[in-house]
Amino acid sequence: MEKKRITVTFGDGIGPEIMRAVLRILQAAQAPLEWDVIEIGEAVYRRGISSGIPAEAWDVIRANRVLLKAPVTTPQGGGYKSINVTLRKTLGLFANVRPCKAYSPFVASAHPLMDLVIIRENEEDLYGGIEHQQTVEMTQVLKLISHPGTESIVRYAFEYARAYGRRKVTCMTKDNIMKITDGLFHRIFNTVAQEYPDIQAEHQIVDIGAARVAAQPETLDVIVTPNLYGDILSDVAAQLAGSVGLAGSSNIGREMAMFEAIHGSAPDIAGKGIANPSGLLQAAVQMLVHLGLGETAQRIENAWLCTLEDGIHTADIYREGLSLKRVGTEEFTDAIIER
Ligand code: NAD
């Protein structure tokens, strides 16, 4: 089979450890992939490049169209731009897809039946970084919600639901307060929903919606929501499912796509060899599906599930009485490869 060429970046903190683990699994599964490695993140910021991404990296990302990215550290303090926001906006990655599923009874979860997908608008809302000091005592940020941007994400959510055999799409906004911006999102949702009579559509105000994510996530299926609410809800949902270390995400555009774990660079455990590589592995599985390599994706997913079922767990998901063996990143990776 002809090999597909992707771009890989090792990131910061636990990034290199978990990326090495994932590449080892991809190689062991004989995934027909070749990769170019680029450097982005902390070291690049320190060289004085405020975007954290050097010019030559952009050429590689654009040529290969698919990026597998480990988490990067955004240095504290002014002047540094978020690499993720820059990548999403520059590459037009309008849809952020985060499946959050419980792996009960093998991984402890407060909600054993939860299996939901959060589809978040990825370019607009409050993430434009357009902020200013209005007066000495007043600050302001611009919230942007567009008709084409909203229509794209809502349509993506319904198409996703159809493609993955899901039954319901729930839209979450705060349109009781932001009647024009969130109101537009809700109205477009209602219009697009009419084209998908086979899929149940509902709307919830995001505060009660968030309470439902926390208390009864098993009643939700696909959630579509503007950028900020999606950012918050998806971390809550991933943690409820078991651990932030378990979930991967796709950032999808019309021409490019980027796949990453949902968690950050975890500097508190970097270099200790204990990080869970599952989030990045889930992202790699989503990437294989995107590339049309479903069989390899399934082989890896099954080996990973089998490892969890056998009670071989990294520290973040290890529970006395439920897990059999607490392992580090390397041993967990070996166990997946063995299976
Ligand atoms: P974090 O997600 O890095 O860590 C939160 C907690 O979860 C920590 O206790 C950490 O040890 C634990 N954790 C995270 N991933 C884990 C894993 N794979 N295995 C085991 N435990 C894991 O969030 P943070 O501490 O708020 O952020 C650290 C840095 O990461 C910041 O610089 C932030 O800007 C950056 N960040 C990057 C991305 C990204 O690149 N996509 C996303 C979020 C945060």
Side-chain angles (χ1 to χ4, degrees):
M1 186 188 284
E2 200 196 325
K3 290 192 172 173
K4 313 240 180 193
R5 201 166 191 89
I6 62 165
T7 306
V8 161
T9 181
F10 283 80
D12 303 311
I14 60 169
E17 301 162 46
I18 59 174
M19 183 58 89
R20 277 196 298 273
V22 167
L23 294 180
R24 217 148 61 73
I25 294 166
L26 287 171
Q27 275 167 331
Q30 296 177 334
L33 295 174
E34 293 175 316
W35 47 79
D36 296 311
V37 176
I38 55 163
E39 190 187 26
I40 62 175
E42 215 173 4
V44 179
Y45 285 121
R46 304 276 180 230
R47 291 208 296 270
I49 299 170
S50 67
S51 67
I53 309 172
E56 60 277 13
W58 284 113
D59 299 336
V60 181
I61 294 171
R62 286 208 171 86
N64 293 343
R65 290 166 176 254
V66 168
L67 171 63
L68 182 63
K69 174 181 163 292
V72 295
T73 300
T74 312
Q76 296 287 320
Y80 300 111
K81 287 189 206 152
S82 155
I83 283 183
N84 274 354
V85 174
T86 304
L87 282 168
R88 287 169 190 164
K89 287 207 291 193
T90 310
L91 302 176
L93 308 177
F94 68 95
N96 186 310
V97 183
R98 292 182 169 190
C100 298
K101 182 174 163 28
Y103 298 97
S104 188
F106 307 106
V107 178
S109 165
H111 299 285
L113 298 178
M114 82 178 276
D115 178 11
L116 59 84
V117 181
I118 298 185
I119 298 188
R120 156 187 169 199
E121 199 291 319
N122 219 11
E123 295 181 285
E124 303 190 344
D125 196 6
L126 288 153
Y127 285 60
I130 308 168
E131 279 190 296
H132 50 267
Q133 188 84 34
Q134 222 185 24
T135 69
V136 175
E137 293 188 323
M138 183 61 76
T139 54
Q140 185 183 28
V141 62
L142 205 61
K143 170 165 168 134
L144 296 166
I145 303 277
S146 78
H147 190 135
T150 304
E151 190 169 338
S152 297
I153 195 68
V154 169
R155 207 170 277 291
Y156 188 92
F158 279 101
E159 288 293 332
Y160 182 98
R162 236 181 217 172
Y164 285 84
R166 290 187 173 261
R167 300 215 177 91
K168 183 169 72 173
V169 180
T170 305
C171 173
M172 293 193 190
T173 71
K174 188 79 184 166
D175 68 338
N176 53 332
I177 303 296
M178 283 160 281
K179 294 175 197 292
I180 296 181
T181 47
D182 282 21
L184 177 69
F185 199 97
H186 187 175
R187 272 202 313 283
I188 292 173
F189 174 79
N190 286 347
T191 308
V192 173
Q194 288 171 14
E195 294 174 36
Y196 298 84
D198 48 321
I199 294 163
Q200 194 190 332
E202 64 177 10
H203 174 268
Q204 295 226 303
I205 300 293
V206 66
D207 34 10
I208 190 63
R212 221 173 123 199
V213 169
Q216 299 165 299
E218 64 284 351
T219 63
L220 294 157
D221 196 345
V222 174
I223 297 173
V224 65
T225 184
N227 208 339
L228 176 66
Y229 312 139
D231 194 0
I232 298 167
L233 288 176
S234 56
D235 271 26
V236 172
Q239 191 64 51
L240 281 173
S243 161
V244 283
L246 285 180
S249 78
S250 317
N251 294 267
I252 306 290
R254 287 189 177 75
E255 290 175 10
M256 313 273 168
M258 174 174 87
F259 301 85
E260 62 180 345
I262 74 156
H263 59 75
S265 56
D268 53 335
I269 58 166
K272 295 186 178 161
I274 58 170
N276 188 347
S278 298
L280 189 58
L281 187 65
Q282 284 302 303
V285 165
Q286 292 170 23
M287 176 189 77
L288 290 169
V289 173
H290 176 84
L291 289 168
L293 302 170
E295 262 176 48
T296 315
Q298 195 157 37
R299 194 173 328 134
I300 294 175
E301 177 82 0
N302 285 340
W304 176 72
L305 287 170
C306 190
T307 307
L308 293 183
E309 288 177 23
D310 287 345
I312 299 172
H313 293 168
T314 46
D316 58 315
I317 55 170
Y318 182 87
R319 296 285 180 283
E320 211 59 62
L322 186 68
S323 312
L324 283 182
K325 194 171 182 200
R326 183 200 297 251
V327 291
T329 314
E330 285 298 304
E331 210 181 329
F332 186 69
T333 306
D334 291 338
I336 296 171
I337 291 171
E338 258 170 50
R339 282 159 184 76

